[in-house]
Amino acid sequence: MATITYRSASCIYEGSDKLAVDSLNLDIADGEFVVLVGPSGSGKSTALRMLAGLEDIDEGTIEIGGRDMRGVPSKDRDIAMVFQNYALYPNKTVAENMGFALKLRGVPRDERRRKVEEAAKLLDLTDFLDRKPAKLSGGQRQRVAMGRAIVREPQVFCMDEPLSNLDAKLRVQTRTQIAALQRRLGTTTVYVTHDQVEAMTMGDRVAVLRNGKLQQFASPAELYDKPANAFVAGFIGSPAMNLLTAPITAQGVRIGDDSTLELERDQMTLLHDAGLEQVTVGVRPEHLQVSDSGGIDVVVDLVEDLGSETYVYTHAGPGVQLVARSLSRAPARLADTIELRKIPEGVVHLFHPETGERL
């Protein structure tokens, strides 16, 4: 086990004039489960590959256990990689796949078998050790890939979107198993995904990247409750936070033609001191409710009934779209004109209309 430190680490691909990873700074504690998340092209996989030694560190440094990794070959970094496509040998059994790296190291057969059986027990693979990968399900193959990493007893696990090839139900099941297994082993883990639900449910802390730059590195709760900027606010959460730029009025901000979203007094003071005429406001769908006693006038575009809750997708004018959550079924119908109101304990987030930074 080891700490991991990114110090202004940068990477640029040959032929490109733009950094794939731009001055990344992260301090990852020993035994911590950290998730790198972001849209396609954000640099999350490149950052992981730099850690694993599969991409060069063009500027800055990356340290594992206090040791500078610049120029250190991947095989000498004491890391284990789990890929999206499993990367199993089809002609070898599960046991042979899991123990192959140990065989290459010259580990005696009895010790190899013991370590493989211990890992198989952890992963519920004991009954499949003599099978070939073709006879396994997708989830079982991914557990074999995990087992191959576990038997090596590395300092660091590097996982690059390992659940992308699984169906929705199996993804939920497998991510729960991975998170629980990491807690038991206590191995420092860096996990890459584009799925923010995975990031929020698995990571001790989450690093949100965009265009190669770190946007925020915090616990899932802090990312959700206090996003550093409008990008993080809109990326974290499902459905996404309602974000819109609106003119400031005496009581709050004007939504649509003549509706007002009221703000707290300290928020109005903040906007006045900033000298802004417009502001980007953000409200989570669960902080808006369908009202029959005043609020923001909207037209219903879609009603998404999920059984335990319903999401109402609406618009309050051109380019002004709002999503609200309701705990009752069918709170409105398509094309109805309704009113939305912020719940009493609801939070309105304020962001600079030009920079997107949190005010």
Side-chain angles (χ1 to χ4, degrees):
M1 270 93 68
T3 60
I4 299 171
T5 305
Y6 286 77
R7 283 280 176 268
S8 300
S10 299
C11 175
I12 186 168
Y13 288 113
E14 186 176 352
S16 174
D17 58 356
K18 184 178 179 182
L19 290 169
V21 174
D22 189 352
S23 300
L24 180 61
N25 289 289
L26 294 176
D27 286 299
I28 301 172
D30 185 11
E32 192 172 18
F33 194 125
V34 166
V35 180
L36 307 182
V37 67
S40 296
S42 62
K44 55 189 183 297
S45 289
T46 302
L48 184 74
R49 292 172 63 84
M50 291 165 67
L51 173 65
L54 302 178
E55 300 292 349
D56 292 332
I57 305 168
D58 294 316
E59 294 179 12
T61 62
I62 296 177
E63 297 178 359
I64 299 177
R67 180 188 176 199
D68 191 341
M69 290 294 108
R70 287 178 299 180
V72 178
S74 182
K75 64 182 179 65
D76 296 329
R77 297 193 181 196
D78 196 14
I79 61 99
M81 193 97 176
V82 179
F83 296 96
Q84 175 180 344
N85 61 358
Y86 318 137
L88 301 178
Y89 294 105
N91 61 326
K92 297 183 183 298
T93 65
V94 167
E96 289 169 338
N97 267 285
M98 291 172 62
F100 190 64
L102 300 181
K103 183 178 181 180
L104 292 179
R105 288 184 183 177
V107 175
R109 178 178 294 181
D110 290 345
E111 185 177 350
R112 288 203 313 265
R113 186 71 188 184
R114 179 181 59 79
K115 289 189 174 185
V116 167
E117 288 177 350
E118 287 176 355
K121 186 176 180 180
L122 281 174
L123 296 162
D124 292 328
L125 290 172
T126 302
D127 295 337
F128 306 101
L129 288 176
D130 295 325
R131 292 193 189 181
K132 299 285 182 67
K135 302 295 184 182
L136 303 177
S137 68
Q140 290 166 342
R141 292 180 198 178
Q142 193 55 271
R143 295 209 301 275
V144 174
M146 285 288 299
R148 181 179 53 196
I150 290 169
V151 297
R152 294 181 54 190
E153 299 177 351
Q155 291 190 90
V156 177
F157 287 139
C158 296
M159 302 189 187
D160 191 4
E161 304 207 39
L163 308 184
S164 294
N165 290 337
L166 305 183
D167 61 58
K169 183 177 180 180
L170 197 53
R171 285 183 73 159
V172 173
Q173 177 185 343
T174 308
R175 78 183 182 216
T176 302
Q177 292 171 340
I178 289 176
L181 182 63
Q182 192 274 339
R183 303 293 189 272
R184 290 176 65 183
L185 296 174
T187 305
T188 308
T189 301
V190 181
Y191 184 105
V192 164
T193 181
H194 65 274
D195 186 336
Q196 54 93 13
V197 175
E198 269 182 32
M200 296 291 282
T201 54
M202 296 179 73
D204 296 320
R205 287 191 292 169
V206 179
V208 183
L209 283 82
R210 182 191 189 192
N211 297 330
K213 295 184 178 181
L214 179 66
Q215 303 297 303
Q216 189 172 1
F217 185 37
S219 68
E222 185 176 348
L223 286 178
Y224 195 83
D225 295 335
K226 293 184 178 180
N229 55 43
F231 173 78
V232 176
F235 189 80
I236 298 297
S238 181
M241 179 186 288
N242 296 295
L243 288 168
L244 55 101
T245 301
I248 300 170
T249 67
Q251 290 77 37
V253 293
R254 187 170 69 247
I255 308 296
D257 295 329
D258 55 4
S259 298
T260 298
L261 176 63
E262 295 184 0
L263 300 179
E264 302 292 337
R265 178 174 294 181
D266 59 341
Q267 291 180 313
M268 293 301 301
T269 301
L270 180 66
L271 294 177
H272 179 270
D273 292 344
L276 297 174
E277 295 182 356
Q278 289 188 323
V279 66
T280 298
V281 296
V283 185
R284 295 282 181 197
E286 62 269 27
H287 291 170
L288 288 178
Q289 64 181 359
V290 178
S291 170
D292 55 6
S293 58
I296 303 169
D297 294 326
V298 296
V299 178
V300 178
D301 297 321
L302 174 68
V303 178
E304 190 176 57
D305 189 347
L306 302 180
S308 61
E309 58 190 7
T310 300
Y311 286 99
V312 183
Y313 293 76
T314 70
H315 70 270
V320 181
Q321 297 178 325
L322 295 171
V323 183
R325 185 181 72 173
S326 173
L327 297 180
S328 61
R329 289 189 170 185
R333 292 181 298 178
L334 187 66
D336 279 356
T337 298
I338 61 173
E339 293 175 320
L340 299 181
R341 170 175 285 182
K342 181 175 70 70
I343 63 175
E345 63 273 24
V347 177
V348 178
H349 303 267
L350 302 178
F351 305 98
H352 195 284
E354 295 176 1
T355 66
E357 294 301 309
R358 185 181 186 86
L359 293 176

